[in-house]
Amino acid sequence: MLRLEQDVNVAKRNAVKAQRNDMTQLAMVHMRRRKAVLEELERCASILTNLDSSELRLERAKNDVQLVQSYTLLKTALQDIRASNDIMGSENVEDLMLDIREEMEDVGEIGGDAIIYPEVVIDEDELNKEFKLLEMECEKEQCSEANDDEVQEKQSDERVVQPLEVQQTKGSDNTSSKAEAVAA
């Protein structure tokens, strides 16, 4: 999934570069690729979600098996009580067990439709709008980078100018001391 995220970012950068170089067709190709990779990323995320939910269903089914075993023990206990005391009729116990089985079948079923793949349709207008937004975002980033570069250039120019002023000041001090030595 990390690789897919990286592919999305690369396709975005390539689309913006192509648009800056007035290669609109190439930019659209990169945007389509980005859109396809995003859809693949969403599909993978959906599959992971489905796998997680399937795992939970399996754990629930495992617990249901333990519940069925408990009901089986209950049935044998009830049959033993019926046989020893003849309190319940055999029809009542059998009806109870049929009800329990039906309920367990309803609860224990794991649906076969755990994995659902949505149909993907690419809307060109939406793709163009998304491209315009990305282009504006990249322009903002480029402007902020240009401003940062200007600030750095000014700072480096100031660093260069300061040593020159110091040297010129020292040079004028040396010149005046030489003039004083010559005059003496």
Side-chain angles (χ1 to χ4, degrees):
M1 294 198 46
L2 291 174
R3 185 186 60 81
L4 291 174
E5 290 174 0
Q6 290 172 349
D7 288 348
V8 167
N9 291 333
V10 168
K12 174 186 165 185
R13 279 187 258 129
N14 289 341
V16 171
K17 285 180 187 177
Q19 184 65 27
R20 284 183 193 150
N21 295 331
D22 293 328
M23 294 187 274
T24 306
Q25 291 290 4
L26 183 59
M28 293 303 289
V29 168
H30 288 296
M31 287 302 295
R32 285 188 191 101
R33 173 156 173 68
R34 179 180 179 273
K35 189 79 168 178
V37 173
L38 280 173
E39 289 168 359
E40 179 68 16
L41 188 62
E42 288 177 19
R43 188 185 70 78
C44 289
S46 173
I47 288 172
L48 284 176
T49 303
N50 288 332
L51 287 174
D52 287 340
S53 65
S54 295
E55 180 184 12
L56 291 174
R57 288 183 188 143
L58 287 174
E59 288 176 8
R60 230 180 290 135
K62 181 181 171 184
N63 292 335
D64 290 344
V65 167
Q66 293 171 348
L67 188 62
V68 169
Q69 290 171 347
S70 299
Y71 284 143
T72 305
L73 290 174
L74 176 65
K75 175 187 172 189
T76 56
L78 288 174
Q79 286 174 347
D80 289 342
I81 291 173
R82 183 188 53 85
S84 66
N85 295 331
D86 202 24
I87 296 173
M88 299 174 128
S90 65
E91 294 175 2
N92 289 338
V93 172
E94 293 299 322
D95 289 339
L96 177 64
M97 291 312 299
L98 283 174
D99 289 342
I100 291 171
R101 283 189 195 120
E102 288 175 5
E103 191 64 33
M104 288 308 299
E105 287 176 2
D106 290 341
V107 171
E109 289 181 4
I110 297 176
D113 58 347
I115 300 175
I116 300 170
Y117 297 106
E119 186 175 319
V120 178
V121 177
I122 297 176
D123 183 16
E124 291 292 323
D125 292 333
E126 180 184 333
L127 191 65
N128 283 328
K129 288 178 186 176
E130 194 173 325
F131 179 72
K132 295 290 183 189
L133 289 173
L134 285 174
E135 190 175 36
M136 290 187 323
E137 180 183 316
C138 288
E139 287 175 4
K140 287 178 183 176
E141 288 176 8
Q142 190 178 22
C143 288
S144 67
E145 288 175 3
N147 289 340
D148 290 344
D149 290 344
E150 287 177 15
V151 169
Q152 289 177 356
E153 281 183 31
K154 287 180 182 178
Q155 289 174 350
S156 65
D157 288 346
E158 289 173 2
R159 289 183 196 135
V160 170
V161 169
Q162 288 175 353
L164 287 176
E165 290 174 355
V166 170
Q167 287 177 357
Q168 289 173 351
T169 307
K170 287 181 180 178
S172 63
D173 289 344
N174 287 342
T175 316
S176 61
S177 61
K178 287 181 185 177
E180 290 174 4
V182 171

